Amino acid sequence: MVFVYLLRVQVTGYFGDDQLGKALEGADVVIIPAGVPRKPGMTRDDLFNINAGIVKGLCLAIAKYCPHALVNMISNPVNSTVPIAAEVFKKAGTYDEKRLFGVTTLDVVRAKTFYAGKAKVPVAGVNVPVVGGHAGVTILPLFSQATPNANVSEEEIVALTKRTQDGGTEVVEAKAGKGSATLSMAYAGALFADACLKGLNGVPDVVECTFVQSNVTDLPFFASKVRLGKNGVDEVLGLGPLSDFEKEGLEKLKPELLSSIEKGVNFANK
């Protein structure tokens, strides 16, 4: 199933491969949540072989029917599915790094919620950048940059970071095999899609964390703050000052994130 947003909104339902072209034709933003959900004991890598094939097929269709659309990748593992999409678009001659996004907004939502609870402040006024990737230790919330600034101890920061990284697993275990983080992911996906639409419509200073092609680090893809505009990515922003704990986390995540990126590239090119 593919969900399509048009700038002048008209909601129409489509189903199956036969209607995929009609669903995609003329789309400004395409959101890909397709695939199987996580079950107890599954990691995001366990989902790879199933979801990677689905994503590859959808991206081939996007390249054919709406090559200039902004693509919001939700299908896990995002650390691999975004590189898969990039390779598919490159082969089709339609790749534009400014128009491909891995949706990591749920990590931001969780980090903000957990921080607000600990700091005892309304979550609506909280901002916490989350960088890196979208799985386990590759998720790095930058609580040192959180606003409003609160008196949260180093031990609490470590615990909040761990809970943010394990947020998906926490939900899967709580549902005891009957689902994953579907509603919160839908909320996060809608937030990011809305941000993309604002950028396309020329709203200034729309900044969100997202997993994109990047030179912020030595990795080819990385999640960080991104300014959105009429062509997708206007600017990939730097990391800003990091605490010693965050610097350590950054170095720790790099090998795992690189491995996931390479896995996606290899799958797309096999």
Side-chain angles (χ1 to χ4, degrees):
M1 184 69 71
V2 177
F3 296 88
V4 180
Y5 276 80
L6 302 175
L7 286 178
R8 295 182 179 180
V9 176
Q10 177 180 349
V11 179
T12 308
Y14 300 95
F15 182 79
D17 290 343
D18 292 343
Q19 297 183 16
L20 185 55
K22 288 185 178 180
L24 293 172
E25 193 171 17
D28 296 294
V29 179
V30 178
I31 306 168
I32 305 181
V36 298
R38 293 175 68 193
K39 297 178 181 179
M42 292 179 71
T43 66
R44 283 181 171 83
D45 281 344
D46 293 329
L47 304 177
F48 180 81
N49 287 328
I50 298 173
N51 290 357
I54 295 171
V55 165
K56 187 174 182 180
L58 290 173
C59 288
L60 286 168
I62 290 168
K64 181 177 181 179
Y65 293 107
C66 54
H68 302 297
L70 303 190
V71 178
N72 291 185
M73 184 68 68
I74 293 175
S75 302
N76 279 316
V78 166
N79 293 352
S80 298
T81 54
V82 168
I84 289 172
E87 292 301 308
V88 170
F89 295 148
K90 286 176 185 177
K91 287 184 178 180
T94 64
Y95 181 54
D96 182 348
E97 68 272 16
K98 294 182 178 181
R99 295 178 178 271
L100 176 60
F101 306 89
V103 180
T104 60
T105 311
L106 183 52
D107 300 325
V108 176
V109 170
R110 286 172 175 156
K112 289 169 61 174
T113 301
F114 300 153
Y115 179 85
K118 188 63 65 174
K120 295 181 174 56
V121 296
V123 68
V126 170
N127 184 32
V128 181
V130 181
V131 304
H134 185 56
V137 298
T138 70
I139 300 168
L140 183 61
L142 303 182
F143 289 113
S144 69
Q145 299 179 24
T147 55
N149 188 21
N151 187 22
V152 181
S153 70
E154 184 174 345
E155 291 76 14
E156 289 171 326
I157 292 298
V158 171
L160 288 174
T161 299
K162 178 66 173 172
R163 192 177 182 200
T164 303
Q165 292 171 339
D166 293 342
T169 302
E170 182 178 329
V171 174
V172 169
E173 291 177 349
K175 290 188 174 183
K178 296 181 180 179
S180 59
T182 48
L183 293 178
S184 56
M185 186 64 251
Y187 169 70
L191 286 178
F192 188 74
D194 185 61
C196 287
L197 292 173
K198 287 177 179 177
L200 288 174
N201 280 306
V203 176
D205 296 322
V206 179
V207 176
E208 296 288 340
C209 292
T210 179
F211 187 68
V212 295
Q213 182 174 315
S214 171
N215 59 8
V216 166
T217 69
D218 52 353
L219 298 172
F221 293 91
F222 197 81
S224 66
K225 287 182 178 180
V226 171
R227 181 173 287 109
L228 302 172
K230 293 184 177 181
N231 295 307
V233 174
D234 258 2
E235 183 182 7
V236 179
L237 304 177
L239 298 179
L242 304 180
S243 68
D244 289 341
F245 173 70
E246 291 161 354
K247 290 177 183 177
E248 181 182 343
L250 177 61
E251 294 308 311
K252 186 182 297 183
L253 72 82
K254 285 182 178 180
E256 184 164 335
L257 182 51
L258 179 60
S259 177
S260 296
I261 292 169
E262 291 176 341
K263 188 173 183 178
V265 171
N266 291 338
F267 179 89
N269 290 320
K270 71 179 182 180

